[in-house]
Amino acid sequence: MSCNCENKKLGSEIDRIRRLAKALAKAEEKTVAIFLNNDGTYGFCCADIGIDKPIVEYITQY
């Protein structure tokens, strides 16, 4: 879709983001933080990177 509706819908599903974050945590062997964006979608990155958004959950590599 050219309006990016599908990507926004997928980004707002916490279970999907949690699975992707778990895969990143295992691959990098680091703790990953899931954060909430202003538009209601979720994102994730390694927890050692500074994030200025509200953190929803931490995912470990274990």
Side-chain angles (χ1 to χ4, degrees):
M1 298 179 135
S2 61
C3 67
N4 206 18
C5 296
E6 185 67 22
N7 288 335
K8 186 171 180 178
K9 184 183 117 186
L10 293 174
S12 64
E13 296 175 2
I14 187 68
D15 291 332
R16 178 181 176 80
I17 298 301
R18 194 176 286 128
R19 285 192 308 270
L20 292 171
K22 185 69 172 180
L24 176 64
K26 284 183 179 181
E28 296 289 326
E29 296 183 353
K30 293 183 178 181
T31 300
V32 173
I34 299 175
F35 56 87
L36 183 62
N37 291 313
N38 295 335
D39 62 356
T41 60
Y42 296 96
F44 59 91
C45 66
C46 292
D48 57 357
I49 298 173
I51 306 168
D52 62 344
K53 298 178 182 179
I55 295 176
V56 177
E57 186 174 350
Y58 288 101
I59 305 290
T60 65
Q61 67 269 28
Y62 303 111

